[in-house]
Amino acid sequence: DDDDDDEGRGAEGDDGQKGKDSTAHAAAAARPSDPQSLAETAGTGDVTSGLTLDLLPEERPTAETPAAVLEAKAAGTALFRAGQYVAAADKYSQALQLLPPVPTMEREDGHWNMRATLLSNRAVCQLKGGDAPGCVRDCRAALHMRPQDAKTLLRLATALEQCERHQLACDVYGAAVQADSGAADGPGGAREGLARARRALAASDTAGLDYDGCKKKGNALVQRGQHEAAAEYYSRCVQLDARNPAAFANRALCWLKLGVPRQALQDCRSALALQPDNVKVLFRQAQALRQLQQPSAAHHSLRRLLQLDPANSVARQELAAVTAEVRRQQPAPAANAAPSSSAASASSSSSASASLHDDTEAALSRMESTLQKLEQRKQQLAAEKARRQQDVQRVSQNLESVQAAVHSATQALSSKDADIAEAVARIQRAGQDVASGVEQA
């Protein structure tokens, strides 16, 4: 989208470490609350009343989980049960600080899951305590680790609703319904929240704007660094024109700035299905894949970008960094490995498995893009067939009209021929009468 070129260049001008550091989520969780004022949805009262805002199920501790983490977590749970939400949030923060930093964690180890649980539990404390922006930050960080957690999605949607981000709330409520359709029903469920958010959206200031109006407001908010508010307007753009790749591309930029790489990747794929050669979207897709620790897939995206734009120096720098990450994930050469080291063997197997996983993700991404392009071509052919059928119908109607005109003209000529024959007969009779009179005379 041409309107966000300046912001896009800023994102592409990063040295690559922004995309690499998954710690952005944890850092966001530690920042002080946004001073944005909270307001209840008009006519709905407290949107947290009746919601299932209980803590997540107890995370099974692992041998590596420090005892101090478990003690702080248990204390936070007890305080939450007693209704002391601010104190409970402090205990969960203490437990989070005692865990290893994010880059040292494996995606599926106990620390990774424990961090997601602590973030989600702190989020519900913040929501209960009236800190909706803080709840949003913690939910997003937790969803980076467990993307399909229905409870965390529900909390995020509720917090967005309190922040009057009604379009985003609708999107997240919908994701919560998909994640757990059974738990979405009933009082306080995601379906009820979705209906409420849709009513609020219909009464919001985005409802009266067309695509260009929403896009203009979103671009202005991006320039001011208000990416969450901008994503609200770009989501409305997607609703108004889902065939426009710029709407998805702009929203992907917002997700990247907000540290939500999975949603950024989804929007990039939607944009590339509509416009496969969009260089800016290919770069953003690579950034999202790096944040998701998929360097092989990011490498493929950047190679595709450089095929389209070989002079893109920023993409070349990013490709160099991604290539180094891919090499670090590959197993070490056999000559450098210890002859009988089981630890080295396990590390090599893990790296090979990670590389294979990234390659599979890249292949699936390409297949998905191809299928989307085939579906788009199918729709185009169907539309072309419908247009041709309409053309044939119009030609048939015109032919019938011509045939009717020819028939009418033929009838008119036949009638004139009869009139002429009758006139000739009269002339002949008159001539005979004249001849007879002459003969008599």
Side-chain angles (χ1 to χ4, degrees):
D1 181 21
D2 292 339
D3 287 344
D4 68 351
D5 274 348
D6 294 338
E7 183 64 27
R9 292 194 190 99
E12 294 172 7
D14 294 340
D15 60 2
Q17 294 304 312
K18 260 183 200 174
K20 179 180 176 184
D21 290 340
S22 301
T23 53
H25 304 289
R31 287 197 299 267
S33 301
D34 186 5
Q36 175 185 1
S37 61
L38 304 180
E40 297 176 350
T41 305
T44 62
D46 182 8
V47 297
T48 65
S49 61
L51 285 177
T52 306
L53 295 178
D54 201 0
L55 299 177
L56 290 179
E58 286 296 316
E59 187 67 38
R60 183 173 60 188
T62 65
E64 299 83 7
T65 304
V69 172
L70 300 177
E71 291 175 2
K73 179 175 180 293
T77 302
L79 290 167
F80 178 88
R81 301 294 186 200
Q84 301 179 33
Y85 304 121
V86 175
D90 290 340
K91 285 296 182 182
Y92 289 132
S93 297
Q94 179 183 344
L96 284 165
Q97 291 174 355
L98 294 171
L99 283 175
V102 173
T104 67
M105 295 184 183
E106 292 293 335
R107 184 173 292 275
E108 298 301 334
D109 73 0
H111 292 329
W112 182 274
N113 289 322
M114 178 63 75
R115 179 173 288 275
T117 298
L118 290 170
L119 285 168
S120 188
N121 285 356
R122 188 173 69 177
V124 73
C125 292
Q126 291 168 327
L127 187 60
K128 284 285 193 179
D131 182 11
C135 177
V136 169
R137 288 192 294 271
D138 277 354
C139 285
R140 282 178 171 156
L143 289 169
H144 174 62
M145 301 173 187
R146 288 203 297 240
Q148 301 302 319
D149 189 273
K151 270 193 174 182
T152 306
L153 286 168
L154 181 59
R155 293 165 187 173
L156 174 58
T158 307
L160 289 169
E161 196 176 353
Q162 284 197 5
C163 293
E164 297 185 336
R165 299 284 183 255
H166 302 302
Q167 179 62 65
L168 295 180
C170 287
D171 295 341
V172 179
Y173 274 130
V177 171
Q178 292 180 355
D180 189 355
S181 58
D185 298 319
R191 295 187 194 278
E192 179 182 296
L194 179 59
R196 183 177 59 246
R198 282 175 174 169
R199 290 194 298 270
L201 178 62
S204 69
D205 57 351
T206 63
L209 295 175
D210 59 5
Y211 178 91
D212 290 334
C214 288
K215 174 182 159 186
K216 184 176 180 181
K217 281 187 171 290
N219 291 343
L221 290 166
V222 166
Q223 295 298 326
R224 295 199 295 269
Q226 300 177 22
H227 296 98
E228 184 174 303
E232 178 90 4
Y233 284 97
Y234 291 143
S235 293
R236 182 61 176 164
C237 288
V238 170
Q239 279 195 337
L240 294 170
D241 186 3
R243 307 299 298 173
N244 193 328
F248 293 102
N250 289 343
R251 191 169 64 176
L253 171 66
C254 295
W255 295 142
L256 285 171
K257 291 291 188 178
L258 292 168
V260 193
R262 290 187 183 277
Q263 288 177 274
L265 179 59
Q266 182 178 352
D267 277 350
C268 286
R269 287 174 173 171
S270 298
L272 291 172
L274 298 168
Q275 191 178 13
D277 296 340
N278 190 311
V279 172
K280 187 179 296 184
V281 177
L282 285 168
F283 187 88
R284 291 173 187 170
Q285 178 176 257
Q287 289 183 308
L289 288 166
R290 284 192 74 188
Q291 290 189 33
L292 292 170
Q293 300 179 4
Q294 298 178 27
S296 295
H299 187 276
H300 171 78
S301 184
L302 291 168
R303 288 290 299 272
R304 172 63 179 156
L305 186 160
L306 289 170
Q307 288 176 355
L308 299 169
D309 184 11
N312 193 319
S313 59
V314 177
R316 288 196 177 278
Q317 294 175 2
E318 186 81 358
L319 180 62
V322 170
T323 302
E325 291 180 12
V326 173
R327 288 174 179 169
R328 284 196 295 271
Q329 287 189 350
Q330 292 176 349
N336 298 331
S340 59
S341 173
S342 60
S345 176
S347 175
S348 174
S349 174
S350 175
S351 298
S353 175
S355 178
L356 178 61
H357 173 74
D358 288 342
D359 291 341
T360 303
E361 285 284 340
L364 289 174
S365 176
R366 291 193 297 270
M367 290 175 62
E368 181 181 353
S369 177
T370 301
L371 288 174
Q372 289 176 335
K373 286 189 284 187
L374 288 174
E375 180 63 25
Q376 183 180 4
R377 180 58 179 162
K378 179 182 176 182
Q379 294 175 356
Q380 291 174 348
L381 290 174
E384 181 67 21
K385 180 181 178 181
R387 286 195 297 270
R388 292 189 178 185
Q389 287 177 341
Q390 292 176 353
D391 292 341
V392 169
Q393 186 177 3
R394 284 196 296 270
V395 169
S396 298
Q397 292 174 349
N398 292 338
L399 181 59
E400 291 176 357
S401 300
V402 170
Q403 288 175 340
V406 169
H407 181 69
S408 299
T410 301
Q411 288 181 335
L413 289 174
S414 298
S415 176
K416 289 183 178 180
D417 288 344
D419 293 340
I420 291 172
E422 183 179 354
V424 169
R426 287 200 299 271
I427 291 171
Q428 288 176 346
R429 288 196 297 271
Q432 291 175 354
D433 293 339
V434 170
S436 175
V438 169
E439 185 177 350
Q440 290 177 359

